[in-house]
Amino acid sequence: MRDEAAKRVELVFSLFDANGNGVIDSDDFDLMTDRVVEAATASDDSAKTAIRAAFRRYWTTLAAVLDANGDGVITVDEFRPFVLDPERFGPTIAEFARALSALGDPDGDGLVERPLFVSLMKAIGFEEANIHSLFDAFGPDAADRIPVATWAAGIEDYYAPDMAGIPGDHLVGTRAV
């Protein structure tokens, strides 16, 4: 795993531990899901249902694959070595990427405006300065929008262990596990 990917893993673990108790469990995903749906005020019910399903699948996939001792929680030691495995997590990440990026396009024009992007990413727990840096790295148009497909691809790249120098690296800041 590249150093950049390892840093992304550490950040993701800290974000997934939404209640801050040092482990990831089902409650963390419920909390994060509720925050993201709350931030998506302009999205329709089908988009909100899709992101809820994507978060639920994300949790069930993580629990099935990473909860080594079956205690219902995932420790950072269980999380680190496996989460960036495209064979195990690729379809789950792809579903999540489609659902989250679509949530950012409530008017269906194929574009995500910066304010909603920032709102959704803050709801997940990313630092605002890093969110803006990421959005800029995606190359917004003159109206300060990015294509939904660009964001979805960026999410998938974020979870690729062999990727470096990607826009998603802008999200890795001073946060640590």
Side-chain angles (χ1 to χ4, degrees), residues 15 22 28 37 42-43 56 60 63-64 68-69 72 75 77 81 92 95-96 101 104 136 148 160 164 167 171:
L15 297 174
D28 289 312
V37 169
S43 295
R56 181 56 38 204
T60 58
N69 61 5
T75 67
D77 291 331
T92 299
E95 176 186 352
F96 177 76
S101 59
D136 292 338
V148 170
L171 291 173

Side-chain angles (χ1 to χ4, degrees), residues 53-122:
F55 269 119
R56 181 56 38 204
R57 179 174 180 193
Y58 209 139
W59 165 248
T60 58
T61 301
L62 287 177
V65 175
L66 302 182
D67 186 9
N69 61 5
D71 63 356
V73 300
I74 299 169
T75 67
V76 70
D77 291 331
E78 290 171 321
F79 188 78
R80 274 189 192 118
F82 300 108
V83 74
L84 295 179
D85 183 340
E87 289 181 24
R88 291 182 177 175
F89 293 102
T92 299
I93 298 302
E95 176 186 352
F96 177 76
R98 283 189 307 272
L100 183 60
S101 59
L103 201 62
D105 181 24
D107 61 6
D109 66 356
L111 298 166
V112 179
E113 288 88 14
R114 185 184 298 259
L116 183 51
F117 180 87
V118 170
S119 180
L120 292 170
M121 294 294 280
K122 281 177 66 176

Side-chain angles (χ1 to χ4, degrees), residues 3-170:
D3 288 342
E4 295 89 342
K7 290 176 183 174
R8 294 190 306 258
V9 166
E10 297 296 320
L11 177 59
V12 168
F13 184 89
S14 71
L15 297 174
F16 282 172
D17 180 15
N19 63 15
N21 67 352
V23 295
I24 302 171
D25 59 31
S26 179
D27 291 342
D28 289 312
F29 274 79
D30 292 341
L31 180 60
M32 186 179 291
T33 301
D34 290 345
R35 290 191 321 225
V36 169
V37 169
E38 184 177 318
T41 57
S43 295
D44 63 23
D45 288 342
S46 66
K48 291 176 182 179
T49 298
I51 195 66
R52 285 189 183 283
F55 269 119
R56 181 56 38 204
R57 179 174 180 193
Y58 209 139
W59 165 248
T60 58
T61 301
L62 287 177
V65 175
L66 302 182
D67 186 9
N69 61 5
D71 63 356
V73 300
I74 299 169
T75 67
V76 70
D77 291 331
E78 290 171 321
F79 188 78
R80 274 189 192 118
F82 300 108
V83 74
L84 295 179
D85 183 340
E87 289 181 24
R88 291 182 177 175
F89 293 102
T92 299
I93 298 302
E95 176 186 352
F96 177 76
R98 283 189 307 272
L100 183 60
S101 59
L103 201 62
D105 181 24
D107 61 6
D109 66 356
L111 298 166
V112 179
E113 288 88 14
R114 185 184 298 259
L116 183 51
F117 180 87
V118 170
S119 180
L120 292 170
M121 294 294 280
K122 281 177 66 176
I124 291 171
F126 290 105
E127 299 292 330
E128 187 165 353
N130 297 344
I131 297 167
H132 285 286
S133 181
L134 171 64
F135 194 85
D136 292 338
F138 283 146
D141 66 13
D144 211 22
R145 303 169 304 181
I146 59 169
V148 170
T150 298
W151 189 13
I155 294 168
E156 290 187 55
D157 287 349
Y158 189 87
Y159 288 92
D162 57 344
M163 300 290 271
I166 60 170
D169 288 336
H170 290 267

